Amino acid sequence: MISSAEPTRLPAFATDFLAFTLSGERPDGESATGLLPNGVRYAWWDEGVLLLEPATHATHAVPIPSLLVSAGIHGDETAPIELLSRIVADIAYGTLPVACRLLIVLGNVGAMRAACRYRDDDLNRLFCGRYAQFSASVEASRAAALEALTQRFFSEASANADDRWHIDMHTAIRSSLFEQFALLPYTDARPSSAMFGWLASAHMAAVLLHTSKSDSYTHFTAQTCRAQACTLELGKVRPFGHNDLTHFFHADRAVREKIAHVSVSAEGSMPRVFTVIGQITKRSEAFEWRVAPDVPNFTPFTKGTVLARDNGECYVVQHDEERIVFPNPAVKPGLRAGLMVIETEPFSG
Ligand code: ZN
């Protein structure tokens, strides 16, 4: 009889991925990869980037899904970062089974340490190669590294579209009439019923459909990696340790169900659907904002309302009702000061 077996030592980056990542520590070559007691293989790829996969998956006849879950693309969006770190710990301790290839990404680690959204430039506007135009920015090299690692992950994924997913978790700067909502990047394909069903299970109240390409992380994974990608906006930003994580219960549960590949609970109604019809761009420092500074996301405006002026040009509401999302007149000239959406047909499979 074997007695007093050596307790298996879990790697520090698996038991507290957030603290390990913030510390700037790096595992040495040998300890960067290994096997957890529950049969999950881990590989620390880079600061904030960790691969977890069932050790036996390569021997299965049917390929398993590949799922990328990211948070901290904006460094001060702490709640999803904390959720993701807990998910890694629960996998390490064996309480959350892993039934997919799972890539965990904490995006803007430098900004997370500095407790800010970004240091030089918004990381979520540097993907799809746009970082090349920002060589002096500290975020440029991170965007390039994340693109390379993300492509490496999806290059080994099953070609089946249903097996390639990316969930990017954020929190919003301002309050919202729909407190939790999702954004889907623009692609040639219609959003899938699997995605809508999952968003319903995560209790997303609204889904916003982009109608043109952008430089966000989910646009990159959707276009370049052919992933089904969504950005989740899960509520307002708070400092580390000040988040009521119970508030994120449904989204957290839905992510965990996706990781464990258990059939999603049917509760949760289908989200309302909004389609992007344009944006307000800040062109110059003469930009004049006509919207109240604390207006919540999805605030509706009626036809004829002037929302902004810039050197004689105006943004005037053209539809019977348009709603504003992510209003931010403080952006640099040339960037988006607000996204305009209208409500469209609900999703029908
Ligand atoms: Zn964000």
Side-chain angles (χ1 to χ4, degrees), residues 45 49 68 101 103 105 127-129 131 143-157 164 217 220-221 223-226:
W45 276 5
V49 183
L68 164 57
R101 297 175 64 240
L103 190 68
V105 171
F127 287 93
C128 303
Y131 57 81
L146 289 182
E147 282 199 4
L149 294 168
T150 301
Q151 277 184 289
R152 174 178 162 193
F153 175 68
F154 282 110
S155 73
E156 289 167 30
R164 307 165 75 93
Y217 196 15
F220 172 73
T221 52
Q223 276 164 31
T224 307
C225 306
R226 291 178 298 106

Side-chain angles (χ1 to χ4, degrees), residues 74 77 117 170-171 233:
H74 294 130
E77 296 179 357
R117 185 171 173 83
H170 289 249
T171 47
E233 294 288 349

